[in-house]
Amino acid sequence: MEVKKDYYEVLGVPRDADAKTIKRAFLKKARTLHPDVSDAPDAEERFKEVNEAYTVLSDDQKRANYDRYGDPDGPGGFGSDYVDVSDIFGGGGFGFGDIFDTFFGGGGARGGGAAQRTRGRDMGIRLTVTLEEAAAGCRKTVAYSRLAPCEDCGGTGAAEGGKARPCDRCHGTGRVVEVQRTIFGQMQTQTTCPACNGQGQVIDHPCETCGGQGRTPSREKVEVQVPAGVHSGQTITVEGKGEAGVRGAAGGNLVVSVEVADSDRFERQGDDLFCTVRVDSLEAIVGTTVTIDGILEGERVDVEVPAGCQFGQRVTVEGLGMPRQGMAARGNLVAVVQVETPRDLTKKQVLDVAALVAERSLDEAGAGGEKGDGAAEEPRAHRGAAAAAEHFAHEHWHAPKNPFKGSRR
């Protein structure tokens, strides 16, 4: 088994380094090891190693576990939960784009292509909540990576004593005009200024941490308020928590897509909730009340099962389903009845039931006696007790767990 390097040694920081020191060390190494700026054959591997170290040491809980147990996951952990660079910095299906590619591509040193984007981009992330959390509403803390305002320069991009000034080449316009002589005469073209990358300003003493951008890759946490009654696929926008803008420009938003997980107790159909209640066949004959836990914490729901209830019959309890988002009203709770044969009857109770069955059989035989075939029905009454005893002595067919599955109204 390969022994991992000490994370503090990888970043070159002491074990008592604070969060800001760790971040500075990470950015300094990342700026030299990122594959886009380094030609070293092992640059990508070393960058991943630095990133793994920062993944652990920038998280308070992981760092505490690492310091105490030597493992970010604690004493029972299975190693670091490091994920690939593309996942951490924006890949992994979230649609962020590569945060580090943006960081290195936004420094104004890559020639005269299109003008650099100054406003921060919107970012998206997926948040999964339980059905119970969706019913009550909840506050969740989301951890994610983004380009955040640089802490060392306050987002200005300038080091201490530095300032922004108009670009000498384009005179603050962000565009340069070039004139070329051709056989058809002079041709004039306008392009993005390569000196300021189209911004019209340059920093005379740029911040070493952010390279003059005013923003750096950062791991952050934000609280998201999930409203009661939320549905899967709905989004929640947290303003200003997306990608930070260049040198104090407006930032983007964080768009949180909510996914409501399936529940073991309920199936949601719109704002209605479906569940199953089990009653034995004798209770189904006379009717009964079944009390179950509702979707909200501490909620108890009485389901009135009517006399003569059949297997699969639905009993609706109005107003105790999912809350309707933004309203005081709620959907309905629909209980699907499962009728089960009791297996805990005493011998006397079994014989009492058998006697009832025999009496019903005799009644049927009497009704048929007018046609002269009553003698043929008599053995059926005598078989009642034996059939009942056999019935309760063996396992029998079980009802499906969710008979309402696949049923849509």
Side-chain angles (χ1 to χ4, degrees):
M1 179 178 178
E2 182 182 357
V3 178
K4 291 186 177 181
K5 293 185 179 179
D6 184 281
Y7 289 143
Y8 293 98
E9 291 183 1
V10 170
L11 293 182
V13 296
R15 301 189 73 86
D16 60 351
D18 59 19
K20 183 176 289 189
T21 300
I22 290 174
K23 182 176 180 180
R24 284 175 177 170
F26 166 64
L27 291 173
K28 183 177 180 180
K29 288 183 175 293
R31 290 180 68 88
T32 60
L33 294 175
H34 192 276
D36 284 352
V37 296
S38 175
D39 295 329
D42 62 342
E44 183 174 356
E45 191 63 34
R46 291 179 63 194
F47 179 77
K48 288 183 179 181
E49 188 177 72
V50 168
N51 177 58
E52 179 179 354
Y54 181 63
T55 300
V56 174
L57 299 185
S58 63
D59 185 289
D60 292 340
Q61 184 61 53
K62 292 179 182 178
R63 182 179 179 182
N65 286 338
Y66 177 71
D67 289 342
R68 185 173 182 181
Y69 305 108
D71 191 315
D73 293 324
F78 296 91
S80 170
D81 67 346
Y82 166 72
V83 295
D84 188 75
V85 174
S86 61
D87 292 329
I88 290 176
F89 295 114
F94 293 102
F96 291 170
D98 189 330
I99 290 179
F100 250 106
D101 285 349
T102 302
F103 180 60
F104 285 107
R110 285 195 172 189
Q116 176 187 345
R117 173 194 294 270
T118 57
R119 181 189 181 278
R121 295 175 297 182
D122 291 342
M123 299 175 66
I125 194 170
R126 182 174 297 165
L127 173 64
T128 300
V129 298
T130 65
L131 186 62
E132 288 76 12
E133 289 173 330
C138 60
R139 184 176 290 274
K140 289 286 190 178
T141 299
V142 177
Y144 66 112
S145 296
R146 70 166 182 146
L147 284 174
C150 176
E151 296 176 355
D152 288 351
C153 66
T156 64
E160 185 176 356
K163 61 181 179 179
R165 58 176 177 78
C167 175
D168 293 333
R169 181 163 184 178
C170 66
H171 305 289
T173 64
R175 298 281 179 175
V176 292
V177 177
E178 296 181 350
V179 179
Q180 293 181 328
R181 295 181 180 276
T182 69
I183 58 174
F184 301 105
Q186 291 184 340
M187 294 189 65
Q188 182 175 290
T189 58
Q190 181 176 272
T191 60
T192 300
C193 176
C196 66
N197 212 27
Q199 294 185 27
Q201 290 186 326
V202 293
I203 304 295
D204 52 9
H205 295 293
C207 171
E208 292 184 359
T209 302
C210 65
Q213 285 195 56
R215 58 184 188 173
T216 58
S218 179
R219 302 188 192 283
E220 301 198 356
K221 295 179 180 180
V222 64
E223 285 194 342
V224 179
Q225 181 62 52
V226 180
V230 67
H231 289 263
S232 286
Q234 286 187 277
T235 58
I236 301 169
T237 300
V238 184
E239 295 185 358
K241 288 299 183 178
E243 183 181 87
V246 177
R247 298 174 191 167
N253 298 326
L254 179 66
V255 181
V256 182
S257 177
V258 179
E259 185 73 24
V260 181
D262 291 335
S263 170
D264 292 333
R265 297 191 300 136
F266 299 99
E267 179 177 306
R268 183 179 187 177
Q269 296 185 15
D271 290 323
D272 292 339
L273 292 175
F274 284 72
C275 68
T276 58
V277 293
R278 293 178 173 83
V279 299
D280 68 42
S281 53
L282 300 181
E283 292 174 328
I285 292 173
V286 299
T288 187
T289 298
V290 180
T291 302
I292 63 173
D293 291 328
I295 188 65
L296 299 179
E297 184 178 0
E299 185 176 63
R300 300 287 286 170
V301 180
D302 292 333
V303 179
E304 301 290 342
V305 179
C309 184
Q310 302 296 312
F311 178 88
Q313 185 171 331
R314 299 182 178 188
V315 179
T316 300
V317 183
E318 296 184 356
L320 289 177
M322 287 291 289
R324 302 186 191 278
Q325 191 171 343
M327 302 172 62
R330 295 172 62 177
N332 297 328
L333 175 67
V334 182
V336 182
V337 179
Q338 290 186 340
V339 180
E340 298 181 337
T341 301
R343 294 180 173 81
D344 58 351
L345 297 181
T346 65
K347 184 175 181 180
K348 180 180 181 304
Q349 290 171 332
V350 172
L351 293 176
D352 288 342
V353 173
L356 179 60
V357 173
E359 182 180 347
R360 285 171 53 83
S361 299
L362 289 174
D363 289 343
E364 292 176 6
E370 299 175 358
K371 298 181 180 180
D373 54 357
E377 294 294 333
E378 185 174 358
R380 177 181 175 184
H382 291 300
R383 293 197 303 268
E390 180 183 358
H391 179 83
F392 289 104
H394 301 285
E395 283 291 322
H396 285 272
W397 172 79
H398 289 274
K401 182 178 180 182
N402 291 314
F404 53 85
K405 282 285 188 181
S407 173
R408 293 292 186 271
R409 297 189 300 169

